Amino acid sequence: MSVFPKETIKNIGESLGITNLKDEVATALAQDVEYRIHEIIQEASKFMRHSKRTKLSVDDINAALRVKNVEPLYGYTCGETPKFRKTILNSNDIYYDDDEEIDFEKVLSKPLPKIPLDVTFTAHWLAIEGVQPAIPQNPTPNDAKAELLTKRPKNHTSSNGITTDQVNVKPLVKHVLSKELQMYFERITEAVLSEDERLQSQAFESLRLDPGLHQLLPYFVQHIHKKVTQNHKNLDVLEAMLSMAYSLLNNKHLFVEPYLHQLIPPILSCLVGRVICENPQQQNHWSTRQRAASLIAFICHQYGKAYHTLQPRITKTLLRAFLDPARPLTTQYGAIIGLDKIGTEVTRVLIAPNIKFYTENCLQASMNSTNPLRAEEAMKCKESLVDVLEHIAEADDSVSSQKATKSENDMDEDEPSATEDNKKKLLEFVGNVIGEAYLEKENRETRIQSIIELA
């Protein structure tokens, strides 16, 4: 026996133009309608419970109909409860919705309502990698101070009559790492300093390719800074930390920008440090400085466009180290190769015009020193300055040269040598020490002319 009588099914069928519906068919349809309505009400009640409501609404019914791929009911909203009236037709009770009569004269005489505002939404960054951006939507530090000042501490009177201020101190929020991440951090930091080259290379590869290191990134940066500070004369540790920094900088899944201000100082320490090894005569600390210079250049080229003050600040630091006569030659060597790695645009302006001054005030006296270590350092600085001039000339030559069918060897053979007048101008511009060393390697007219034009 269905809740819906067969007479209701027959009336609906007659309204749709279906007459003479059999009783058996009407009964079967009534049972199916009851099942379908129960199903719709069950789905709608799920939406009601998930919406934290206790009253079923039209929206819940429409959502249930959409889930069942049934077109929703139009003309019904979640407004006031509809009022039904009862009437009798052919000894049957019929209920209908009582529509209120509206007077059009009153409606036309009323003033028009205000146009409603369009629904809009905006999004903003609350914090980026733990740093709150200074935008109008976020509270400013002054607002935070004002909020603290408005909260007055409560006064409590002790048993001896002395009034004390009770201040509620909130504990600091700690950055909690999972046990897996803590174990990974410990294993990586141990493997990086391991003597096993295979284990060490696997650790660097993991740092370069692993996409799930976002939470550990500040800890790795802090670890690099700490190890470089504590082991500034241990060349193996410095090499491992440079490799670690290189892997983190080349990990495409990490957002390194907020930590550049912590990552650059240890790299600069490896570049322009006074002494970065125990035995400078036997250990090759020059290659370590070369690697640090490449990392500094990579940071400038990769992030210089986003942070406009990054490269100028680094070049200013290196230029100050280059032109200061009180700095050791190792520091000056690091500054030279650092500026050279950044690019010829920098060396044209900062190094080439100052080579003569640097040679006369810093380099020349050290080259004649009886100390073999100091003489070696002076020779390295001299070679780096000659390399700077070669890179400038090569860059100018590659820009000015046109495509030709001749090979490079043929071009070198056909290109004329520099004139004596240009050689003298070169020596006057860069000094005799660097000028003569450069002329021993390069004698082509175009290469000499590129350097003279900088004067």
Side-chain angles (χ1 to χ4, degrees), residues 79-91:
E80 298 178 356
T81 304
K83 298 178 181 180
F84 292 95
R85 288 181 177 256
K86 179 181 176 182
T87 185
I88 300 174
L89 181 64
N90 297 331
S91 67

Side-chain angles (χ1 to χ4, degrees), residues 281 365-376:
Q281 289 184 336
S366 300
M367 293 183 65
N368 301 325
S369 175
T370 56
N371 187 350
L373 179 61
R374 190 169 179 83
E376 181 188 4

Side-chain angles (χ1 to χ4, degrees), residues 302-340:
Q302 187 75 13
Y303 306 103
K305 294 181 180 179
Y307 301 93
H308 302 291
T309 60
L310 178 64
Q311 181 169 324
R313 290 170 62 184
I314 292 176
T315 53
K316 185 178 180 181
T317 301
L318 296 179
L319 180 63
R320 192 184 298 115
F322 168 55
L323 294 178
D324 188 358
R327 299 292 181 91
L329 292 175
T330 52
T331 298
Q332 295 169 354
Y333 171 80
I336 294 170
I337 62 175
L339 293 170
D340 189 23

Side-chain angles (χ1 to χ4, degrees), residues 28 55 90 140 209 272 283 319 374 385 454:
K55 185 178 180 181
N90 297 331
T140 61
L209 300 176
V272 296
Q283 293 178 296
L319 180 63
R374 190 169 179 83
L385 289 174
L454 299 175

Side-chain angles (χ1 to χ4, degrees), residues 234-291:
N234 192 331
L235 195 62
D236 294 334
V237 175
L238 296 183
E239 279 282 353
M241 292 303 105
L242 288 178
S243 300
M244 193 173 179
Y246 174 81
S247 300
L248 293 174
L249 288 170
N250 284 272
N251 191 327
K252 299 179 180 179
H253 306 284
L254 295 180
F255 185 54
V256 191
E257 284 89 335
Y259 307 101
L260 288 177
H261 67 286
Q262 298 177 0
L263 194 59
I264 292 176
I267 300 176
L268 283 176
S269 299
C270 298
L271 176 62
V272 296
R274 182 186 184 92
V275 179
I276 61 172
C277 62
E278 293 290 344
N279 194 344
Q281 289 184 336
Q282 296 180 359
Q283 293 178 296
N284 185 16
H285 64 95
W286 308 107
S287 62
T288 303
R289 297 180 189 273
Q290 288 278 356
R291 190 172 186 185

